[in-house]
Amino acid sequence: MSTEKHAAAARKYLKDTAKVDWQDETLWLVRGKRDRLSKQIPEWEALRDAASRIKLYSNSHLPELLEQFESHAVANGAIVHWAKDAGEYRDIIGGLLTGHGVRLFVKSKSMLSEECGLVPYLEGLGIEAVETDLGERIIQLMGLKPSHIVLPAVHIKREEVGRLFEKEMGTEPGNSDPTYLTHAARRNLRQYFLKADAAMTGGNFAVASTGEVVVCTNEGNADMGTSAAPLQIAAFGIDKIVPDRESLGVFTRLLARTATGQPVTTYTTHYSAPRKGTEFHIVIVDNGRSRILADREHFRLLNCIRCGGCMNTCPVYRRSGGYSYSHFIPGPVGVNLGMASDPDRHKGNLSACTLCHSCEMVCPAKVDLAEQIYRWRQHYHTSAGKKAISDGMAFLMGGPGRFGAGLTVGPGAMKALKAVGGHWGKGREFPDIVSSKNLESIEKQDHGK
Amino acid sequence: MKVALFIPCYVRAVAPSVIEASYKLLRYLGVDVAVPEGQTCCGQPMGNAGYEDEAEHLKKRFEKIFEEYDVIVGPSPSCVVYVRERYGELFRGRIYEICEYVHDVLKPTSLPGRFPHRVSLHNNCHGTRLEGLAAPSELNVPYFNKLKDLLSLVEGIEVVEPERPDECCGFGGLFSIEESAVSVKMGEDKVRRHLATGAEYVTAADSSCLMHQGGIIAAQKLPLKTIHIVEILASGL
C-alpha cells in the first residue's frame, strides 16, 4: 500500500513499462472473460438490477435480517458474536483462539481480516496464522499485501513464485511450471490442514432465512481447513446479509462471472452447523459499515460484493497496480471504501479516476462508483495545482471578454498551465490554441447571405 | 422551435472548425440554429476536479444564455451530459449532443460529400456510457452505434474500430494533469491501437479526447491525424 499520493506512486510504477503492459493485458483478459460469459446470459442486466435491489433492501433492513440470521444460526448450533469495530473483531477471535489453546491457525482469504489487521495481531499473541488460498499464501510468504482483492498475487510472475517455493518448500531450482508449483503448494499446505487447531473463513454471503454462511472459492482450501480443525470461525461484515436462498442465487450467478469469468466458483460452501464434536463460531462485524449506510451520498457502497470486477476494468488500476493506492482495497471501490473509512488518509487516491464510468457498468450490484468519486472530490481537494488551474479557468470563463482575451494569449496560457500543473508536455504535445475568432458571427454572416 | 448551438469552451479554443462544421451540418439539415453570444464554459472541468461550487457562476451564465431555447445542441458529449446531469431539471430533455440530435431527431438518410479514408472510431466514455451514443462494451444490450450509423452516410469512408473500442483514452479533464503519467500511458496505448487498424484518421465526438490523443500522436510523430466526427459529416458542405 502506498504512503504517498496515487499520482506519485503511479508515476514510479509506470517506469517498468513491460510489467505495466503485462498487468494491463492480464487484467484485461479477465475483463474479456467476464464480458463473454455475461453475454451468454440473456437476463444479465436484469440480474444486475435484481442484485442492486436486493442489496438496497437488505442493507435497509439490517436489524431484522441480522437478528433472523442469528436466531437460525444459533438454532443450527453455531455461536454468534457481534463486533462493532476492528478491535472487537480481533479481541473476539484472539479470545477464542487463546481460550482454545490454538497454536496453529489456518485461514482462507478474507478481506475483512485484512481490514481489521487480524494476522499481525494473532502473531503478536504467539499464534501462527497460515493463509491457505494459494495467491494469499504466496503474498504472505513474500511478506506482502494483496494487490487485488480476488487475485491477490496477480502482480507476481510465476518465476518469482518458483524462486519463492524453492526457498520455502524445497521445489526444484528453476522450475516455475504452474502445475508443478500448485502441486507443491498443495502438499505443503496439507500438513497445515492436518495440524491446525482452528480454521477460519470470511463469508461471501450470510443467508438470513437459514443462518448459513456462504463461502465461494476455487481451490477448496477453505473447505480443507474447516473440515479438519476442531474449531471453526467465520467472520463477515453486516453488509453480507441476503434475505434468503433465492436472493443468494442472484449473487452466485453474478459473482464468479464478474470476478474471474467463470460460470460459478468451483466451491460454493454453505456453512450452517458445527461438525460433531467441534465448535462453529460466527463473528458479525460492523466496523464503519453502519456509518456508510447513514451517508446519503455513499450508502450504495454497501452493495459491493467484493468481486473485483471494477479493478479489472479500471483503466487506471490496470496501469498503476494495487500498491499505488493507499487503501488495502485498490481500484474504484477501494478509492471509495478508503474515503469512507479515513478520508484524510486516503484522499490522495481520488485522482485515480478519469470518470470513464466503466466500473459502474461492470459492477454486478450497480454501485455508483464513479459518481461517488465525483462526490468525494467535491468535499476533499487533493492538489493545490489543480485548484489553481480550476480557479484560473473559473475566472477566465466568467465572461466572454475574459475568455476571448484568454484565447488571444492562449499559447502563453498553456505554458502557464504547464508551469502550474506540470507534466502535460511530457510525452504529449500541447494543442494549438487556434484563435479568438468570433464564432457567433457565423450565424450573422450566414443570415446576411 | 428555437434551437441554439452550444459552443464548449475548449472546442472554441482548440478546434473552432468543429463549431463551423456543426453549424453548417445543422443548417444543411434544415435547422434554423442560433449561436448565442457570450458563451464560455459549462463548468465541467471544475466540477470533475471537485470544484463544482466554484463554477456556480458559470452555471448561472449558461442558464441565462440558453433558457429561452427549446433545444440546445452541442458538439461534445461530456459537456452536454454535464449540463444534463448537474444542472438539475432545467435542460433535461432539451439538450443534445449533436450526433445524438442528428441521428435521433433529424434522421438524415444521406449526406453530401466524400471522405475517402480509413477512419478509426474512438467511442469516448461519456458519449458511450452516459450519453448513449453506442452500446457500452460492458453491458449485455443489443449492439448499436449511432456514430457508425452517421459515418456510414458519408461516401467513400471506411470506418474501423481499435481493439478495446471504448476503453478510456486517459484524458479525463484535470486528470490529464494531476495523473499525467497514467494519462499519457493510457493515451499511448489508445493511439497504438488506432495505428494498428491501419487508419489514417482517428475520429470521435469529443474534441478533448482528440486533443489528448493528438498530443500523443504529435509527440511520437505518428502517421495519424485526428478529426472531429462532425467535420467528416459536414465534409461536403
Side-chain angles (χ1 to χ4, degrees):
Chain A
M1 273 123 46
S2 169
T3 51
E4 56 191 339
K5 284 184 179 176
H6 179 275
R11 180 174 299 282
K12 288 177 196 156
Y13 175 85
L14 279 159
K15 291 207 165 100
D16 187 350
T17 311
K19 183 156 187 179
V20 174
D21 288 342
W22 168 69
Q23 274 288 278
D24 170 58
E25 290 291 349
T26 304
L27 293 160
W28 185 260
L29 211 69
V30 183
R31 153 90 206 259
K33 281 161 78 177
R34 173 255 172 223
D35 286 358
R36 278 193 299 282
L37 278 187
S38 66
K39 280 163 192 169
Q40 289 168 13
I41 309 285
E43 67 275 27
W44 182 257
E45 300 307 328
L47 270 180
R48 290 176 67 230
D49 284 334
S52 173
R53 285 199 306 272
I54 294 167
K55 277 285 177 184
L56 291 175
Y57 172 84
S58 304
N59 289 327
S60 55
H61 293 74
L62 283 177
E64 58 252 51
L65 290 176
L66 287 168
E67 282 172 16
Q68 199 187 338
F69 173 87
E70 182 186 34
S71 68
H72 286 113
V74 169
N76 295 337
I79 300 160
V80 176
H81 308 260
W82 298 84
K84 74 166 188 291
D85 56 22
E88 285 193 3
Y89 161 94
R90 289 192 301 261
D91 287 345
I92 290 165
I93 294 171
L96 281 170
L97 298 183
T98 50
H100 285 73
V102 171
R103 308 300 303 164
L104 176 63
F105 175 58
V106 290
K107 67 179 285 293
S108 75
K109 190 174 143 308
S110 156
M111 290 317 289
L112 181 63
S113 74
E114 294 285 341
E115 176 182 328
C116 298
L118 180 67
V119 170
Y121 172 77
L122 294 181
E123 283 166 356
L125 295 177
I127 297 166
E128 187 186 0
V130 176
E131 297 282 358
T132 60
D133 284 26
L134 183 53
E136 199 75 19
R137 182 63 177 153
I138 291 167
I139 291 298
Q140 184 182 32
L141 289 171
M142 288 183 153
L144 298 172
K145 294 282 181 194
S147 73
H148 184 290
I149 63 170
V150 171
L151 314 162
V154 69
H155 61 302
I156 309 289
K157 294 223 165 197
R158 62 192 171 99
E159 291 76 15
E160 296 173 75
V161 178
R163 286 194 292 277
L164 177 76
F165 282 13
E166 195 182 313
K167 186 164 72 103
E168 298 284 345
M169 302 176 191
T171 55
E172 293 169 19
N175 193 340
S176 59
D177 176 64
T179 309
Y180 170 73
L181 293 176
T182 308
H183 279 287
R186 189 179 162 119
R187 275 195 305 278
N188 183 271
L189 282 169
R190 296 241 155 150
Q191 53 174 330
Y192 294 106
F193 292 133
L194 291 171
K195 283 192 300 194
D197 307 305
M200 181 176 147
T201 67
N204 293 90
F205 306 100
V207 184
S209 67
T210 62
E212 297 162 322
V213 182
V214 180
V215 177
C216 306
T217 70
N218 277 326
E219 297 162 15
N221 286 345
D223 307 86
M224 293 290 285
T226 55
S227 299
L231 169 64
Q232 182 190 346
I233 303 169
F236 57 84
I238 54 174
D239 52 324
K240 297 295 182 185
I241 200 87
V242 295
D244 49 31
R245 284 182 175 168
E246 284 69 30
S247 48
L248 173 71
V250 171
F251 294 101
T252 50
R253 295 187 74 194
L254 288 163
L255 177 65
R257 287 188 171 92
T258 313
T260 51
Q262 299 164 263
V264 72
T265 44
T266 315
Y267 299 90
T268 301
T269 307
H270 294 226
Y271 291 111
S272 55
R275 283 176 293 115
K276 227 180 208 135
T278 69
E279 288 178 25
F280 179 34
H281 292 261
I282 295 171
V283 188
I284 303 172
V285 186
D286 184 331
N287 201 35
R289 285 162 179 74
S290 51
R291 203 179 56 231
I292 297 175
L293 186 61
D295 186 332
R296 186 189 290 271
E297 294 190 341
H298 299 287
F299 65 92
R300 277 174 201 270
L301 257 183
L302 293 183
N303 276 24
C304 174
I305 59 168
R306 304 293 192 272
C307 69
C310 62
M311 290 160 208
N312 303 336
T313 201
C314 177
V316 179
Y317 171 82
R318 277 188 273 104
R319 289 175 183 82
S320 57
Y323 296 155
S324 296
Y325 299 78
S326 62
H327 196 48
F328 75 103
I329 298 181
V333 79
V335 171
N336 282 301
L337 288 167
M339 289 305 290
S341 73
D342 187 348
D344 287 323
R345 189 165 150 218
H346 298 301
K347 66 183 182 186
N349 296 330
L350 284 177
S351 59
C353 174
T354 64
L355 298 175
C356 82
H357 284 74
S358 181
C359 50
E360 293 194 4
M361 309 245 141
V362 163
C363 179
K366 301 187 116 173
V367 180
D368 49 349
L369 294 155
E371 180 61 21
Q372 291 200 32
I373 290 175
Y374 180 92
R375 291 182 196 139
W376 292 116
R377 284 180 179 174
Q378 305 309 317
H379 306 298
Y380 295 91
H381 297 150
T382 54
S383 131
K386 189 165 71 171
K387 162 109 176 99
I389 295 168
S390 181
D391 282 355
M393 284 185 71
F395 173 77
L396 204 61
M397 301 302 172
R402 277 184 221 158
F403 182 32
L407 289 180
T408 56
V409 298
M414 288 306 284
K415 284 205 183 84
L417 195 74
K418 185 183 180 185
V420 177
H423 309 308
W424 172 280
K426 199 162 184 291
R428 191 173 40 184
E429 299 283 327
F430 283 107
D432 291 328
I433 300 293
V434 183
S435 72
S436 59
K437 183 171 171 179
N438 181 7
L439 290 165
E440 288 78 357
S441 66
I442 54 178
E443 184 189 356
K444 296 193 186 83
Q445 287 163 12
D446 188 49
H447 284 265
K449 274 178 202 165
Chain B
M1 192 175 66
K2 292 176 71 177
V3 180
L5 185 64
F6 161 32
I7 307 179
C9 59
Y10 68 91
V11 180
R12 180 193 294 259
V14 303
S17 53
V18 174
I19 303 301
E20 299 190 46
S22 300
Y23 183 80
K24 282 184 195 161
L25 181 65
L26 291 170
R27 290 285 290 163
Y28 172 79
L29 295 171
V31 180
D32 185 15
V33 62
V35 188
E37 292 194 17
Q39 300 189 44
T40 60
C41 171
C42 65
Q44 185 196 188
M46 302 81 178
N48 288 355
Y51 303 95
E52 189 180 319
D53 286 353
E54 287 161 51
E56 188 63 25
H57 63 291
L58 300 180
K59 184 175 161 186
K60 292 218 167 72
R61 158 180 285 281
F62 189 100
E63 285 172 356
K64 210 171 143 200
I65 292 171
F66 288 104
E67 65 189 348
E68 65 176 288
Y69 293 94
D70 305 301
V71 168
I72 299 129
V73 181
S76 160
S78 62
C79 302
V80 164
V81 168
Y82 188 81
V83 171
R84 183 183 293 167
E85 299 301 320
R86 307 280 174 205
Y87 276 41
E89 292 299 318
L90 189 56
F91 295 109
R92 258 179 222 157
R94 60 183 171 120
I95 184 160
Y96 295 85
E97 187 280 327
I98 187 164
C99 294
E100 178 190 32
Y101 189 69
V102 171
H103 184 279
D104 294 357
V105 180
L106 303 177
K107 300 176 183 168
T109 51
S110 68
L111 287 170
R114 273 172 56 78
F115 198 76
H117 302 282
R118 180 183 284 210
V119 176
S120 185
L121 175 61
H122 171 61
N123 296 289
N124 88 305
C125 300
H126 291 178
T128 305
R129 298 192 189 86
L130 301 179
E131 182 73 16
L133 291 177
S137 60
E138 297 89 353
L139 297 184
N140 185 350
V141 294
Y143 180 81
F144 67 96
N145 190 318
K146 296 176 186 178
L147 302 179
K148 271 188 177 173
D149 290 351
L150 291 176
L151 286 171
S152 73
L153 301 177
V154 177
E155 203 192 317
I157 195 168
E158 184 192 355
V159 180
V160 293
E161 284 176 303
E163 256 191 285
R164 308 187 186 186
D166 60 6
E167 186 187 22
C168 180
C169 71
F171 174 63
L174 292 190
F175 173 88
S176 64
I177 292 168
E178 193 174 16
E179 289 267 6
S180 62
V182 184
S183 173
V184 168
K185 175 64 177 151
M186 288 170 70
E188 287 171 350
D189 290 352
K190 177 58 72 180
V191 166
R192 177 166 48 82
R193 293 194 167 93
H194 283 306
L195 199 63
T197 65
E200 300 157 70
Y201 287 90
V202 177
T203 195
D206 216 315
S207 296
S208 59
C209 312
L210 293 175
M211 172 178 82
H212 169 63
Q213 292 174 51
I216 306 267
I217 290 166
Q220 300 193 355
K221 302 188 169 49
L222 299 174
L224 264 176
K225 288 168 275 204
T226 60
I227 184 168
H228 192 282
I229 185 168
V230 173
E231 293 183 275
I232 298 177
L233 301 178
S235 59
L237 302 172

